[in-house]
Amino acid sequence: MDKLFFIAIIISPFLLFATWVMTAKVNSFKKLFIAHTILFILYIVFVLYYSKLITGHDEYGLGQIGLAITFIVIHIIIGF
């Protein structure tokens, strides 16, 4: 399971780039970009303010970092 997650982290920038290349010539690219940017901001706001609900006590903030990375990677993979 750990290897699968690390592979997802490694390939996510390539998937993101491929998605941008495939949708760059679409007429609604601006709308897609704005929607994904808003969703990214919502992820970060959730992680900053509400991640304690999921991770519990997180003295060093590593749970928040992991949760933020997980949200972003899952979003890229589902979006692709």
Side-chain angles (χ1 to χ4, degrees), residues 1-57:
M1 185 68 175
D2 292 339
K3 290 181 183 180
L4 182 65
F5 183 70
F6 288 126
I7 289 171
I9 289 175
I10 290 171
I11 67 169
S12 64
F14 300 110
L15 291 177
L16 184 62
F17 180 72
T19 304
W20 282 343
V21 169
M22 289 188 292
T23 60
K25 297 189 183 200
V26 176
N27 291 338
S28 61
F29 179 73
K30 272 187 183 178
K31 292 177 187 175
L32 286 171
F33 185 78
I34 291 170
H36 287 282
T37 303
I38 290 170
L39 195 57
F40 176 75
I41 291 169
L42 288 174
Y43 288 153
I44 298 303
V45 167
F46 176 79
V47 168
L48 287 176
Y49 295 109
Y50 301 107
S51 66
K52 299 285 188 216
L53 298 173
I54 297 173
T55 60
H57 177 68

